[in-house]
């Protein structure tokens, strides 16, 4: 039962931003909201994900298999897109951390809520959400890489990458990925000043909330295990015998064992609900905030660049003045473009995260009610079985 | 600092008067002498598990909501106290029981049919079942409530000044003697100067205080003076009662329920006035345990007729029981093991006519071990639930903070609401943990101890047998002695020998009779016990199911209330 994540629609960008692009890249041939990671197949240490998407033309589906390397390949290519002015201002859809079977403790902790539970389902959903976000982003979805990723039968990341490209990639990645907050720099823009503060606080709070929620889920799992333990131990108490006292007692043990089994299943379901709804939601919220933090940092770097260029231009000797002025103008334009994109991205992400949280909360609530209702019904049945017929030899044990 | 005027230290009376436990009248030998069993045939003393703190036996005025109806919301018992004893406010729900009349042996009927004592509940089908069974109107309802701290002394400050060194050490010695009983755990700080000795004892409500419980009884039995009455008892009184019962010859072989264990750590915390949740829990745990202890005693038809039991329930002031040292947890276990060891380490192998006793003893031992293991597992479940409580509370706080920082109004409100719902969930988990604990864990713990007691009964029977055997060998020796005297022709000693023989012959007869009697008792008791155990477990499971059902119903309510808030996010 895959939950469909809402695809995020980004607002149309102003003409000045896409001015630079001459080439019209073909749009994505799949419908973004239909992209799903349906399963994770395990082959030793290697995890392979099956990705399904519907063709826009409505004539069928694409089924491809990808590994985490492929996802990484995609992400890195997105970072290094050319001809996207103000790319530094984009809040990139956050890719979940690498998952692997028998991961070391540190990695498991990194994955947090995505690594709880018996199956890879939550993780697959997170990957699916990532792809939907990329596919739904008006700027990022146009890249050929995404098309290849989603439709090509051949895994893209395993192709040999040209060395030159690699260097540029790694530089770009380095530039994009730096997340250290540049607190010293005062911001010129009020909007961004408040946004940076806000983002800083939300990053911490959302991470705390996700971690607390993870602890809740883990404790629920422990309770399920304890219930199972109890149920199993009770079975050991059952002894065959013709002693009527013993027989009644054995029946009691069996009954309690059944009840404990039911309780175990109920708690497991509760934990599962938790992870697949609010858990995913909080996890995504954390990653959104982190991604925004990275973007804001990049923008601040640009600001620093601009300020440096301005100073240089001021101090430049007449010989170099023109060049410095040119540099300054370029830096100004760059910074402006980044800021424009950044503003729009902030609004986009704000809408997206509210939608995500809404859906998570609503679904979580609904599932809680559903699970509790079925559980209550079960207890009811048990109680009725206990009481037995109204008049008679008592409860049917 | 000016120490308060120094009271006369020379005659410091001990803080507690160590009164000897005035031995109450030993009850008549119920087994042989009492005719009560025959005539009045108290059947089905019914027990009501009530632990409310107010107006104990007030009629349950609220409508009797069907316990198995969904969507009717939480129970409407009327005594739905959210703070404490929430668990027991639903305890009046009827217990499904078997129609035991067919399988009951003659004499006192199985006692552990837990049904509500009030007439209100007649509407349920289970009520009608009970009506059919209970021909007589005898019933004894016992409840233990209102634990309250009784502080006996106001703060005491001592100071000795201008006292020579020699004198001061003597006085110190005397003082320590006096307070020894009381201040086992207290640390008495004192400052000793050259010639001044200040001794500060701020006893306060510290170690002098004790917990008093209200024991309320409601009964139609004519043996009691009133129909409803209550007394104040302290923990050592309960221990004292057990002490008295367990040494009675007349009750040999009976399965006498044991009181809860002493706990120095637990009580010390309570005494020094710690009001934290663990102290509250400790008191509640003890109160509930004392209640179950009494309920089991009055459910036992033989014990109910014991004058010590009646005195415990009725008498306004009980002489303080002092010989309660043996009844710490370790002490109790030692006592039991000593008794059952008698069965295992027998020098003379007993020739059982039927294997019932051997088999049953083995069964009891096995079951005790199994229940011990189960108890450990349930304990871990309880701990995890408590952990969940804590985690939920912390999570709630983090969501509240997130809500506060959120710009989007609807989302912010929803997150704050979520925090409130999670706070309610914390309470729910707490109640579930209490349920796990008080219904399941304590049940298992009680039966581990009870099974230990059963083992002890087998041991008593064994000792009775040994006594008989030993008497027989003594008799044999006496006869041989007589023969020797005859042969040696010493007529003067012969008379004594003949008297000895007569005496020991009657002893042998007596001990044989004792042994037979105790065998019968043990057998009957064990069968009774097993029936009651099955009923007890059944009742507890029923109660547990009910709490779980209610828990789910509450949960549904919380989330149904929250759903619109979540949907309102835009």
């Amino acid at each position: 039962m895959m939950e469909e994540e809402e695809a995020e629609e980004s607002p149309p960008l102003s003409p000045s931003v896409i001015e630079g692009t001459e080439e019209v890249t073909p749009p994505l041939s799949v419908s973004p909201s239909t992209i799903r990671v349906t399963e994770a197949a395990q082959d030793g240490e290697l995890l392979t994900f099956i990705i399904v998407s519907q063709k826009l033309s409505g004539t069928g589906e694409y089924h491809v298999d990808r590994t985490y390397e492929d996802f990484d390949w995609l992400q890195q290519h997105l970072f290094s897109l050319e001809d996207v002015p103000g790319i530094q201002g984009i809040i990139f859809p956050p890719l979940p951390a690498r998952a692997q079977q028998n991961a070391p403790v540190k990695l498991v902790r990194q994955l947090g809520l995505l690594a709880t539970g018996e199956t890879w389902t939550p993780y697959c959903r997170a990957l699916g959400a990532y792809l939907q976000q990329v596919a739904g982003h008006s700027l990022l979805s146009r890249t050929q890489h995404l098309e290849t990723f989603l439709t090509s039968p051949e895994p893209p990341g395993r192709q040999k990458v040209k060395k030159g490209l690699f260097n540029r990639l790694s530089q770009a990645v380095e530039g994009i990925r730096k997340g250290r907050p540049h607190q010293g720099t005062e911001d010129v823009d009020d909007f961004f000043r408040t946004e940076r503060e806000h983002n800083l606080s939300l990053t911490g709070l959302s991470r705390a909330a996700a971690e607390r929620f993870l602890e809740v889920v883990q404790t629920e799992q422990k309770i399920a295990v304890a219930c199972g333990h109890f149920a199993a131990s009770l079975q050991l108490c059952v002894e065959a015998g013709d002693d009527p006292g013993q027989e009644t007692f054995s029946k009691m043990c069996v009954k309690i064992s059944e009840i404990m089994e039911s309780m175990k299943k109920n708690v497991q379901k509760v934990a599962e609900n938790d992870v697949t709804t609010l858990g995913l939601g909080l996890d995504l919220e954390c990653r959104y905030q982190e991604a925004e933090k990275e973007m804001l940092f990049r923008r601040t770097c640009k600001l620093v660049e601009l300020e440096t260029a301005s100073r240089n231009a001021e101090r430049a000797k007449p010989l170099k003045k023109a060049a410095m002025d040119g540099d300054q103008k370029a830096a100004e334009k760059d910074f402006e473009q980044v800021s424009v994109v950044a503003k729009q991205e902030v609004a986009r992400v704000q809408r997206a995260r509210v939608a995500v949280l809404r859906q998570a909360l609503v679904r979580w609530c609904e599932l809680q009610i559903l699970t509790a209702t079925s559980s209550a019904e079960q207890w009811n049945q048990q109680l009725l079985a206990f009481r037995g017929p109204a008049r008679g030899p008592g409860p049917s044990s | 600092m000016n120490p308060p005027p120094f009271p006369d230290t020379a005659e410091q009376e001990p803080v507690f008067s160590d009164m000897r436990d005035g031995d109450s009248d030993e009850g008549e030998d119920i087994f042989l002498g009492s005719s009560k069993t025959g005539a009045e045939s108290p059947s089905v003393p019914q027990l009501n598990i009530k632990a409310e703190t107010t107006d104990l036996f007030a009629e349950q005025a609220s409508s009797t909501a069907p316990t198995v109806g969904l969507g009717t919301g939480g129970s409407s018992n009327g005594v739905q106290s959210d703070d404490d004893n929430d668990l027991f406010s639903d305890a009046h729900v009827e217990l499904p029981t078997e129609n035991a009349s067919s399988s009951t042996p003659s004499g006192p009927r199985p006692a552990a049919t837990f049904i509500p004592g009030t007439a209100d509940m007649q509407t349920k089908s289970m009520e009608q079942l009970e009506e059919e069974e209970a021909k007589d109107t005898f019933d004894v309802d016992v409840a233990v409530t209102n634990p309250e701290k009784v502080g006996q002394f106001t703060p005491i400050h001592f100071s000795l000044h201008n006292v020579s060194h020699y004198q001061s050490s003597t006085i110190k010695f005397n003082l320590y003697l006096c307070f020894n009983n009381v201040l086992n755990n207290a640390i008495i700080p004192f400052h000793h100067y050259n010639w001044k000795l200040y001794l500060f004892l701020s006893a306060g409500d510290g170690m002098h205080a004790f917990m008093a419980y209200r024991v309320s009884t409601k009964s139609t039995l004519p043996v009691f003076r009133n129909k409803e009455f209550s007394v104040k008892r302290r923990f050592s009184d309960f221990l004292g009662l057990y002490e008295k019962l367990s040494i009675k010859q007349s009750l040999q072989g009976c399965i006498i329920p044991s009181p809860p264990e002493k706990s120095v750590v637990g009580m010390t915390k309570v005494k020094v006035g710690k009001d934290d949740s663990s102290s509250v829990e400790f008191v509640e745990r003890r109160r509930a345990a004392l209640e179950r202890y009494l309920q089991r005693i009055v459910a036992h038809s033989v014990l109910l007729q014991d004058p010590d039991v009646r005195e415990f329930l009725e008498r306004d002031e009980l002489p303080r029981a002092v010989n309660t040292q043996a009844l710490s947890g370790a002490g109790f276990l030692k006592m039991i093991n000593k008794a059952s060891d008698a069965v295992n380490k027998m020098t003379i192998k007993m020739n059982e006519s039927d294997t019932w006793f051997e088999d049953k003893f083995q069964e009891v031992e096995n079951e005790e071990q199994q229940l011990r293991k189960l108890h450990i597992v349930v304990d871990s479940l309880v701990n995890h639930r408590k952990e969940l409580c804590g985690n939920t509370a912390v999570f709630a706080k983090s969501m509240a903070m997130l809500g506060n920082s959120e710009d989007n109004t609807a989302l912010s409100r929803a997150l704050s609401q979520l925090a409130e719902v999670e706070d309610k969930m914390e309470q729910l988990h707490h109640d579930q943990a209490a349920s796990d604990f008080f219904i399941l864990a304590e049940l298992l713990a009680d039966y581990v101890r009870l099974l230990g007691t059963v083992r002890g009964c087998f041991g008593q029977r064994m000792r009775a047998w040994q006594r008989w055997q030993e008497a027989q060998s003594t008799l044999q020796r006496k006869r041989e002695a007589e023969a020797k005297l005859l042969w040696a022709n010493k007529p003067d000693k012969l008379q004594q020998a003949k008297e000895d023989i007569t005496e020991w012959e009657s002893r042998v007869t007596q001990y044989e009779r004792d042994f037979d009697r105790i065998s019968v008792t043990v057998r009957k008791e064990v069968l009774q016990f097993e029936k009651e155990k099955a009923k007890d477990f059944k009742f507890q499971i029923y109660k547990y199911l009910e709490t779980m059902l209610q828990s789910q119903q509450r949960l549904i309510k919380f989330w149904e209330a929250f759903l619109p808030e979540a949907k309102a996010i835009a």
Side-chain angles (χ1 to χ4, degrees):
Chain A
M1 280 185 287
M2 293 286 293
E3 295 298 311
E4 248 189 87
E5 307 277 351
E6 289 177 354
E8 288 101 36
E9 294 297 327
S10 50
L13 291 174
S14 57
S16 60
V17 179
I18 51 176
E19 208 175 10
T21 50
E22 285 165 9
E23 212 182 295
V24 180
T25 43
L28 199 60
S29 69
V30 306
S31 157
S33 57
T34 63
I35 302 174
R36 297 168 180 201
V37 177
T38 53
E39 61 184 278
Q42 241 170 270
D43 183 14
E45 292 276 325
L46 190 66
L47 272 173
T48 308
F49 305 96
I50 311 294
I51 304 166
V52 178
S53 48
Q54 300 282 337
K55 293 189 191 173
L56 263 179
S57 53
T59 51
E61 291 184 340
Y62 285 109
H63 283 245
V64 295
D65 60 289
R66 300 284 181 259
T67 63
Y68 190 81
E69 275 70 35
D70 301 324
F71 280 87
D72 213 11
W73 170 91
L74 176 62
Q75 185 77 327
Q76 304 211 6
H77 273 276
L78 291 177
F79 289 155
S80 63
L81 278 179
E82 299 174 345
D83 305 332
V84 179
I87 187 173
Q88 308 275 4
I90 292 182
I91 299 176
F92 287 87
L95 180 63
R98 173 189 298 273
Q100 65 187 61
Q101 191 61 15
N102 305 324
V105 179
K106 198 170 128 192
L107 274 183
V108 172
R109 201 173 296 148
Q110 221 178 19
L111 281 175
L113 281 156
L114 298 181
T116 56
E118 317 276 308
T119 65
W120 290 111
T121 311
Y123 189 73
C124 290
R125 296 239 191 116
L127 286 178
Y130 163 74
L131 289 174
Q132 285 186 353
Q133 287 161 51
V134 176
H137 196 294
S138 57
L139 287 177
L140 299 176
S141 62
R142 291 180 169 274
T143 167
Q144 184 57 36
H145 304 299
L146 180 64
E147 178 76 23
T148 316
F149 182 93
L150 290 172
T151 61
S152 158
E154 271 300 309
R158 300 167 214 183
Q159 294 159 10
K160 294 262 188 310
V161 183
K162 281 198 215 132
K163 200 166 186 202
L165 186 58
F166 216 121
N167 281 341
R168 237 185 308 149
L169 265 180
S170 55
Q171 269 175 14
V173 164
E174 199 46 43
I176 298 274
R177 279 237 162 124
K178 262 201 225 151
R180 267 173 286 115
H182 213 110
Q183 273 141 354
T185 315
E186 267 289 311
D187 211 307
V188 296
D189 191 333
D190 259 346
F191 172 81
F192 284 103
R193 196 198 333 263
T194 39
E195 188 58 33
R196 276 163 69 184
E197 276 169 26
H198 196 229
N199 168 258
L200 191 62
S201 103
L202 276 185
T203 310
L205 291 177
S206 59
R207 180 172 309 125
E211 282 172 3
R212 299 291 89 78
F213 195 62
L214 176 61
E215 281 162 16
V216 167
V217 170
Q218 285 172 336
T219 311
E220 285 168 350
Q221 290 173 332
K222 281 190 221 167
I223 290 177
V225 168
C227 289
H229 226 133
F230 190 30
S233 308
L234 278 163
Q235 290 292 344
L236 295 175
C237 289
V238 176
E239 278 169 17
D242 27 321
D243 195 313
Q246 266 309 102
E247 203 187 308
T248 325
F249 186 65
S250 289
K251 279 194 193 151
M252 276 306 107
C253 287
V254 170
K255 175 114 289 193
I256 308 176
S257 179
E258 283 169 12
I259 293 173
M260 280 299 140
E261 264 302 315
S262 299
M263 191 142 89
K264 175 179 110 171
K265 292 207 178 79
N266 169 254
V267 177
Q268 278 175 334
K269 194 80 183 73
V270 168
E272 188 191 305
N273 292 345
D274 285 348
V275 172
T276 54
T277 57
L278 188 60
L280 282 177
L282 285 175
D283 175 74
L284 185 53
E285 167 73 11
C286 280
R287 286 186 284 119
Y288 265 142
Q289 297 299 335
E290 282 291 333
E292 185 176 323
K293 188 168 88 173
E294 287 172 11
M295 182 280 282
L296 290 170
F297 175 71
R298 291 193 298 272
R299 183 183 159 276
T300 311
C301 289
K302 286 287 169 194
L303 180 59
V304 170
E305 269 177 38
L306 174 57
E307 286 173 352
T308 314
S310 302
R311 267 202 305 277
N312 289 347
E314 265 178 49
R315 298 196 211 127
K317 300 213 173 88
L319 202 62
K320 292 216 174 156
K321 184 83 169 143
M324 290 292 118
D325 276 347
D327 281 347
Q328 192 207 1
K329 283 252 157 43
E332 241 179 70
K333 183 174 174 212
D334 202 5
F335 181 69
E336 259 180 52
Q337 271 182 337
V338 168
S339 293
V340 166
V341 171
K343 232 178 197 164
Q344 283 167 336
E345 285 286 279
V346 164
R348 171 185 74 84
V349 165
Q350 175 66 3
R351 272 193 305 277
R353 61 177 280 276
V354 169
V356 162
L357 284 174
R358 180 191 186 279
Q359 200 210 19
L361 288 170
V362 168
R363 195 68 192 126
W364 185 47
C365 203
E366 287 172 348
L367 283 181
Q368 299 245 39
I369 296 172
L370 212 67
T371 307
T373 309
S374 97
S375 175
E377 182 52 41
Q378 239 181 5
W379 300 140
N380 208 7
Q381 291 302 322
Q382 294 264 17
L383 277 169
L384 286 173
F386 240 92
R387 301 183 69 182
R391 281 187 190 272
S396 45
S397 319
Chain B
M1 82 190 136
N2 245 337
F6 178 58
D8 187 359
T9 46
E11 277 86 50
Q12 249 338 289
E13 292 171 57
V15 174
F16 278 149
S17 50
D18 261 20
M19 289 196 284
R20 277 283 132 203
D21 183 12
D23 208 355
S24 50
D25 44 311
E26 275 287 351
E28 55 190 332
D29 189 341
I30 290 183
F31 233 76
L32 295 178
S34 168
S35 57
K36 280 194 177 162
T37 359
E40 294 166 334
S41 177
S43 63
V44 204
Q46 289 141 14
L47 300 176
N48 197 337
I49 303 175
K50 275 196 197 143
E52 300 121 8
T53 47
T54 60
D55 221 13
L56 248 194
F57 299 108
E59 300 280 64
Q60 302 283 1
S62 57
S63 64
T64 56
T67 52
V68 292
L70 270 189
T72 49
S75 60
S76 46
N77 306 319
V79 199
Q80 190 79 8
S81 56
D82 272 339
D83 31 16
D84 52 8
N85 298 338
D86 199 12
L87 179 63
F88 291 91
S89 58
D90 301 335
H92 67 268
V93 180
E94 60 289 338
L95 159 74
T97 60
E98 307 160 352
N99 194 349
S101 42
S102 48
S103 48
T104 328
S106 60
R109 296 271 233 88
T113 39
F114 301 94
I115 63 159
T118 59
D120 261 353
M121 315 306 290
Q122 292 296 319
T123 47
K124 305 276 171 62
S125 59
M126 225 41 58
E127 286 298 319
Q128 286 149 356
L129 245 185
E130 296 305 329
E131 245 184 275
E132 285 170 356
E133 277 187 26
K135 305 293 179 220
D136 303 277
T137 57
F138 284 96
D139 62 331
V140 180
D141 296 340
V142 162
V144 175
T145 59
N146 299 68
E148 61 183 12
K149 208 155 63 164
V150 175
Q152 283 187 337
F153 296 92
T154 52
I156 301 170
H157 297 280
F158 280 83
S159 66
L160 306 160
H161 45 169
N162 292 336
V163 169
S164 74
H165 189 238
Y166 171 72
Q167 278 180 292
S168 70
S169 44
T170 323
I171 290 164
K172 191 165 70 181
F173 177 74
N174 284 335
L175 279 169
Y176 281 159
L177 262 186
C178 295
F179 292 109
N180 194 38
N181 274 348
V182 172
L183 297 167
N184 333 348
N185 300 331
I187 299 163
I188 305 168
F190 71 95
H191 307 276
H192 178 224
Y193 301 93
N194 264 343
W195 52 273
K196 285 183 188 176
L197 172 64
Y198 296 89
L199 194 68
F200 291 105
L201 298 166
S202 51
D205 2 313
M207 300 299 158
H208 299 285
F210 61 88
M211 217 52 151
Y213 302 88
R214 188 156 149 239
V215 177
S216 313
T217 315
K218 186 179 171 193
S219 172
T220 57
L221 283 173
V223 70
F224 293 113
R225 287 196 298 268
N226 303 307
K227 287 217 164 51
E228 284 182 43
F229 48 92
S230 74
V231 291
K232 271 206 154 54
R233 295 283 179 257
R234 50 188 294 182
F235 184 64
S236 53
D237 294 333
F238 290 81
L239 299 183
L241 174 64
Y242 177 73
E243 181 74 8
K244 285 187 201 156
L245 294 174
S246 49
I247 59 175
K248 281 195 183 163
Q249 181 61 30
S250 55
L251 297 178
Q252 285 290 298
C254 282
I255 300 172
I256 303 171
S258 55
E261 293 160 6
K262 272 184 166 184
S263 166
V264 176
V265 175
M267 266 325 272
T268 309
K269 271 208 270 186
V270 172
K271 282 181 183 177
V272 295
K274 266 187 156 224
D275 257 339
D276 62 341
S277 61
S278 69
S279 301
V280 171
E281 224 177 82
F282 176 82
V283 172
E284 173 53 29
R285 180 179 179 178
R286 175 166 278 193
R287 184 209 60 77
L290 290 173
E291 191 172 82
R292 292 194 305 274
Y293 163 63
L294 280 187
Q295 285 172 337
R296 288 196 172 103
I297 287 185
V298 300
H300 194 299
S301 51
V302 174
L303 293 177
L304 178 59
Q305 296 170 59
D306 187 289
D308 280 327
V309 172
R310 279 188 272 122
E311 182 184 73
F312 181 89
L313 293 176
E314 254 192 331
R315 187 164 159 184
D316 283 323
E317 294 271 336
L318 267 191
R320 254 202 82 213
V322 286
N323 192 17
T324 56
Q325 295 308 307
L327 295 169
S328 64
F332 172 75
L333 213 56
K334 224 191 311 183
M335 189 169 70
I336 290 301
N337 285 333
K338 225 178 2 180
S340 75
D341 274 350
V343 182
N344 289 327
K345 302 176 194 160
M346 280 199 302
T347 45
I348 321 163
K349 186 66 187 153
M350 183 164 169
N351 202 4
E352 297 269 17
S353 51
D354 71 287
T355 53
W356 189 90
F357 286 95
E358 269 176 51
D359 294 342
K360 195 48 82 172
F361 183 75
Q362 197 56 56
E363 260 177 48
V364 167
E365 269 195 329
N366 290 346
E367 197 171 293
E368 192 181 333
Q369 287 316 308
Q370 284 166 341
L371 290 187
R372 256 186 231 280
K373 284 189 202 142
L374 287 177
H375 183 255
I376 294 172
V377 175
V378 173
D379 228 10
S380 113
L381 174 63
V382 171
N383 286 338
H384 288 320
R385 273 220 216 269
K386 286 190 184 163
E387 207 185 312
L388 185 60
C389 252
N391 290 347
T392 308
V394 172
F395 172 63
K397 282 202 187 65
S398 70
M399 287 314 261
M401 285 175 68
L402 206 53
N404 282 343
S405 294
E406 179 55 52
D407 277 343
N408 181 307
T409 331
L411 181 58
S412 170
R413 189 172 51 235
L415 290 175
S416 302
Q417 287 281 62
L418 179 62
E420 284 179 21
V421 175
E422 285 295 314
D423 275 333
K424 290 190 194 146
M425 289 297 289
E426 184 209 347
Q427 185 60 43
L428 195 137
H429 292 313
H430 177 264
D431 293 344
Q432 185 69 57
S435 187
D436 288 346
F437 179 75
F438 282 105
I439 300 181
L440 290 182
E442 289 284 73
L443 174 73
L444 290 169
D446 279 356
Y447 274 93
V448 167
R449 290 165 62 81
L450 282 169
L451 285 171
T453 311
V454 174
R455 268 196 295 130
C457 292
F458 278 87
Q460 287 174 339
R461 175 178 172 266
M462 226 13 72
R463 278 204 300 277
W465 183 79
Q466 281 166 350
R467 212 180 306 133
W468 174 32
Q469 297 302 305
E470 279 157 18
Q472 278 185 324
S473 9
T474 310
L475 176 63
Q476 184 64 21
R477 277 204 314 275
K478 297 289 180 192
R479 287 203 172 124
E480 285 168 6
E482 188 206 27
K484 274 202 201 118
L485 287 173
L486 273 171
W487 191 78
N489 198 17
K490 291 199 182 148
D492 46 333
K493 293 201 179 139
L494 210 58
Q495 181 57 30
Q496 181 61 43
K498 283 207 192 296
E499 281 173 8
D500 276 354
I501 289 175
T502 316
E503 184 198 331
W504 279 94
E505 273 174 351
S506 76
R507 277 204 194 173
V508 166
T509 317
Q510 177 64 43
Y511 292 161
E512 183 177 2
R513 232 185 282 151
D514 283 349
F515 173 69
D516 286 337
R517 191 172 63 206
I518 201 177
S519 295
V520 168
T521 308
V522 168
R523 195 167 191 142
K524 196 168 69 160
E525 288 279 299
V526 168
L527 289 174
Q528 187 86 312
F529 171 78
E530 284 183 338
K531 271 207 205 84
E532 283 176 24
K533 180 179 70 175
K535 282 201 181 129
D536 206 353
F537 269 74
K538 215 184 266 188
F539 178 67
Q540 299 302 328
I541 301 168
Y542 191 80
K543 215 161 77 168
Y544 190 68
L545 280 174
E546 288 218 309
T547 61
M548 295 217 278
L549 177 60
Q550 278 160 20
S551 173
Q552 294 300 306
Q553 288 169 338
R554 271 166 78 191
L555 200 148
I556 292 171
K557 271 206 167 133
F558 296 158
W559 293 113
E560 280 179 345
F562 176 72
L563 189 55
E565 285 289 338
K567 286 189 169 161
I569 300 172

